[in-house]
Amino acid sequence: MGHGKFTDDLRKIKGDLKTQSGYDVKEVYVPDDIANLDFEGDIGMPGTFPFVRGTYPRMYREKLWVRGATPGSVRYAQDEGKTEEEAMEEMLEKAIVTTGLRSSGDCHQLATVDPDHPLVGPDIGNCGGPLFAAWQYLHGKLGWYAKLMARSTQGFVLELGNACGPADVCQFTMMIATMETLGMDITKLRGNMVNDPLHVHIIRSMSYKQPLEVGFRVSTDAMEWCVKNTPLFRPTNGGCAYNMRESGINTIQELAFRFGNYIEYTDEMVRRGISFESWGHRPAIALSGEIDFFETICKLRAARRIYARLATERYGADPKTLRCPPCNTNLAGDSMTLQQPIFNVIRNTIEAIASVLGGVNGMELKHYTEAISPPSPEAVTVSSAIEAIIADEANIPLVADPLGGSYYVEWLTTRIESDVMAYLQKILDMGGMREVIKTGWLQEEVEKAAQERQRELEERQKIKVGLNAYQSLLDWPIKLPMLRRESGNPYEPWGPTQKSDWEEWETFKRNRDLSQIKPALEHLYQVAKSDKNLIRAMVEAWKANASIGEVMGVIRAGMGFSYDQFEMVPVPEFLELSWR
């Protein structure tokens, strides 16, 4: 019976003639399909306009992609009788983490509220480690991250992946406060942050949104400050395409929304007097590395050409001196399944190879436990091995853009670019991303796309092995190391990990000097009421040991909004704000 189901599924796949985003494809492509392409103007050489073939002339012979591991497995350190710092040092020593690290916070950090907010409770530490004050880098369990800041001044890349905009900016300014306190040179800080406040008003599942005006101000203030003060740190990826894609949209929408957000931020930087030449290449093009092999390759190639067209046609950049930003992928979390997690290793590998063939400069793999839990050390090790095998065994990186010139690849690259530009122009004609967010049009587009994606799965128009097809492969469960044991599970409410996090929060509050915090927060409040840049005042507030809820609370209050966006926490009694 199992064999019969297996062959039925094979017949179903042979009848599916569309790509992931619905493109009808022919059996074969020939020169006539790309007859209108001009090599110099539309394709070119790697490292030259329009950057279709990659950002560097020699690509991976010059520099491999940054391997953006996540630090989630340090949360399991106590299972081994270690501290988080010892666990991270071991991962670095064993080269499981090599060139970069991508951090992401827990629920309270994403919402920029304190751990004792009524909505947090036992969620402290879920999804990632809690970050509520710069104090933690100097005196708490996050001392290991302060050491990574020092490494980042020597070439190690730190990515702040909270994505929600203000949450990224809070972590970034905490880092600046820490580095200055320790005497580090902030001009050598290397890394990037997602920092896209617009996308949280677009996607279906994000409940951490600030008022649109607050998120946009905090985030663009950080962008401006970074350009002037941290030249090696990229202050935004220009649009969190990964999160938007996870919400159910297709490739065309993913690129259109990403570049729509990029235009909003770029127009704001130009309005503030920052030249496009000094800004345009700073936001990395960060996309979702999807399971559709050729569509992912072509999406990356098309994205660079779209950037080149916008830079020259909208902002007047010179093609001869134009710099291309790095093009990165975060592999698709929604392609990972709970059923037979070992299959996720295969999905990861396919998505990673597609990303490399598409010319990525940085990549974060998902882990085989993605649908179950934060990554265990075993899962991180497997992902690191996938990248190492691609880089050093398979010889895939030897040639820049090895699929360039393929009739199918060039046709699909051009088709994606054309459709994205048409969709983006429709958004611009309606006033841009902020305007279509305010009207609700964009959210309706996302909802329709998500419903269509779900319908395709339910009707088996799109196949997901083990979920809606090939279910006979589930008859032999393959046991893998997931969570070591319940005591180390960050999702176990009020387990030892959460209790330790809560004790650190209590220690922080107990040892603070409110007489130092009060003037720093009241100064930040006055800056928020003005049109001055917020970033320096935020840094000084962290140095005074303010908390994340207090810092964002006074910014919201200064801008005329509720101190707590959920209207559940009052202004602290020790503060004297002018409107009270």
Side-chain angles (χ1 to χ4, degrees):
M1 184 174 66
H3 179 72
K5 287 192 290 184
F6 195 92
T7 54
D8 286 346
D9 289 327
L10 285 175
R11 285 198 294 271
K12 174 67 184 74
I13 288 178
K14 289 179 180 178
D16 188 356
L17 304 179
K18 295 180 183 292
T19 71
Q20 187 177 24
S21 294
Y23 283 116
D24 289 305
V25 293
K26 301 189 299 183
E27 291 183 6
V28 67
Y29 285 79
V30 298
D32 285 348
D33 290 301
I34 58 171
N36 294 328
L37 284 181
D38 171 70
F39 180 80
E40 292 296 331
D42 296 322
I43 301 174
M45 295 296 288
T48 64
F49 184 90
F51 306 108
V52 174
R53 308 195 70 190
T55 51
Y56 305 117
R58 288 162 48 85
M59 279 305 288
Y60 301 128
R61 290 193 178 194
E62 181 175 335
K63 184 180 180 182
L64 278 178
W65 59 91
V66 173
R67 302 179 191 182
T70 58
S73 62
V74 301
R75 301 284 284 166
Y76 298 84
Q78 65 181 18
D79 266 6
E80 301 289 346
K82 305 171 186 173
T83 65
E84 291 186 5
E85 184 169 336
E86 289 170 338
M88 178 52 63
E89 288 177 351
E90 183 178 11
M91 291 175 73
L92 290 166
E93 181 182 345
K94 293 181 176 179
I96 295 173
V97 173
T98 53
T99 55
L101 191 75
R102 182 182 190 272
S103 64
S104 183
D106 68 353
C107 297
H108 89 81
Q109 184 183 341
L110 297 179
T112 64
V113 299
D114 288 335
D116 58 3
H117 191 284
L119 289 180
V120 180
D123 287 331
I124 184 172
N126 276 355
C127 301
L131 179 63
F132 48 78
W135 174 92
Q136 293 171 273
Y137 292 136
L138 297 167
H139 307 290
K141 291 191 294 184
L142 291 176
W144 58 270
Y145 205 88
K147 292 184 178 181
L148 293 182
M149 294 177 206
R151 277 179 175 258
S152 75
T153 65
Q154 303 165 7
F156 192 82
V157 176
L158 291 176
E159 180 181 358
L160 313 185
N162 304 295
C164 300
D168 274 338
V169 175
C170 284
Q171 183 174 1
F172 170 73
T173 47
M174 287 183 200
M175 288 169 54
I176 296 298
T178 302
M179 293 180 71
E180 290 182 348
T181 300
L182 295 175
M184 299 181 197
D185 185 353
I186 65 170
T187 65
K188 294 182 179 179
L189 174 64
R190 187 178 298 274
N192 59 84
M193 54 181 162
V194 177
N195 190 23
D196 178 20
L198 295 181
H199 92 279
V200 300
H201 296 266
I202 299 170
I203 64 179
R204 305 166 69 237
S205 59
M206 185 63 72
S207 60
Y208 308 121
K209 58 174 95 46
Q210 307 284 340
L212 182 60
E213 297 85 351
V214 173
F216 193 79
R217 163 124 183 244
V218 171
S219 294
T220 52
D221 276 6
M223 296 174 198
E224 178 187 28
W225 195 90
C226 281
V227 170
K228 297 176 180 178
N229 295 278
T230 53
L232 302 180
F233 193 88
R234 298 182 185 276
T236 177
N237 64 16
C240 189
Y242 172 79
N243 277 8
M244 290 188 281
R245 182 62 183 257
E246 292 278 291
S247 196
I249 61 177
N250 61 29
T251 286
I252 307 310
Q253 293 168 314
E254 177 189 352
L255 289 178
F257 296 170
R258 186 275 168 190
F259 282 103
N261 287 4
Y262 171 80
I263 288 171
E264 291 281 347
Y265 303 135
T266 302
D267 286 354
E268 177 65 15
M269 292 302 103
V270 172
R271 185 189 70 78
R272 294 187 183 203
I274 296 174
S275 68
F276 181 82
E277 286 70 25
S278 62
W279 162 261
H281 64 283
R282 294 287 295 273
I285 304 172
L287 305 174
S288 178
E290 293 289 320
I291 192 65
D292 189 308
F293 189 74
F294 284 102
E295 193 172 279
T296 293
I297 294 167
C298 296
K299 175 175 69 176
L300 292 165
R301 300 173 87 250
R304 290 189 291 268
R305 190 156 67 199
I306 291 168
Y307 161 78
R309 304 286 196 222
L310 288 174
T312 54
E313 296 172 11
R314 183 180 178 90
Y315 297 106
D318 184 348
K320 296 180 181 178
T321 59
L322 183 64
R323 298 170 62 183
C324 186
C327 196
N328 305 328
T329 55
N330 191 343
L331 302 192
D334 70 345
S335 71
M336 305 291 116
T337 63
L338 180 68
Q339 298 82 2
Q340 294 289 43
I342 189 62
F343 297 168
N344 294 332
V345 175
I346 303 167
R347 295 182 176 102
N348 246 328
T349 303
I350 291 171
E351 291 168 358
I353 292 173
S355 294
V356 171
L357 290 172
V360 292
N361 304 107
M363 179 167 59
E364 180 193 331
L365 274 68
K366 287 296 178 286
H367 308 285
Y368 64 74
T369 61
E370 175 72 14
I372 301 169
S373 72
S376 64
E378 294 91 345
V380 175
T381 302
V382 170
S383 294
S384 296
I386 291 172
E387 292 190 83
I389 291 168
I390 291 172
D392 295 315
E393 284 191 42
N395 281 344
I396 292 172
L398 290 186
V399 178
D401 190 33
L403 295 182
S406 155
Y407 304 130
Y408 176 46
V409 167
E410 298 298 354
W411 172 84
L412 186 54
T413 298
T414 301
R415 179 66 188 272
I416 289 173
E417 178 199 7
S418 175
D419 288 351
V420 169
M421 293 302 289
Y423 198 93
L424 178 58
Q425 189 59 53
K426 182 177 181 179
I427 292 171
L428 295 176
D429 289 344
M430 289 188 285
M433 291 295 282
R434 278 191 284 175
E435 189 59 34
V436 294
I437 287 170
K438 291 176 183 178
T439 63
W441 177 85
L442 203 58
Q443 294 87 331
E444 291 179 4
E445 290 287 282
V446 173
E447 186 63 30
K448 286 189 292 186
Q451 291 179 4
E452 176 65 14
R453 192 169 178 178
Q454 181 62 30
R455 184 189 63 78
E456 289 174 343
L457 286 174
E458 291 175 355
E459 297 180 3
R460 299 181 77 218
Q461 293 179 11
K462 291 290 185 288
I463 294 299
K464 185 166 282 193
V465 173
L467 181 67
N468 66 354
Y470 296 101
Q471 290 171 321
S472 59
L473 297 177
L474 307 182
D475 293 342
W476 292 272
I478 303 171
K479 295 182 180 180
L480 294 170
M482 300 298 174
L483 300 172
R484 299 282 179 105
R485 46 184 173 270
E486 287 304 307
S487 63
N489 183 352
Y491 283 93
E492 176 69 16
W494 295 112
T497 306
Q498 283 79 9
K499 289 177 182 177
S500 176
D501 294 334
W502 185 259
E503 288 169 2
E504 186 166 81
W505 165 248
E506 292 285 344
T507 300
F508 165 71
K509 285 197 302 179
R510 187 168 54 250
N511 294 330
R512 295 195 303 166
D513 184 351
L514 295 183
S515 68
Q516 293 183 3
I517 302 171
K518 181 177 184 294
L521 285 176
E522 290 176 354
H523 173 65
L524 176 59
Y525 172 74
Q526 294 300 326
V527 173
K529 289 180 68 175
S530 71
D531 60 356
K532 297 178 182 178
N533 191 293
L534 291 162
I535 300 306
R536 175 45 59 183
M538 291 178 71
V539 170
E540 297 306 318
W542 301 127
K543 290 180 179 179
N545 282 336
S547 70
I548 192 170
E550 293 163 347
V551 166
M552 283 305 303
V554 298
I555 290 174
R556 282 188 290 264
M559 292 185 65
F561 296 94
S562 172
Y563 174 85
D564 173 30
Q565 70 266 42
F566 303 106
E567 299 186 352
M568 300 176 72
V569 175
V571 178
E573 289 295 328
F574 70 86
L575 291 179
E576 297 178 8
L577 306 185
S578 59
W579 55 266
R580 291 187 64 197

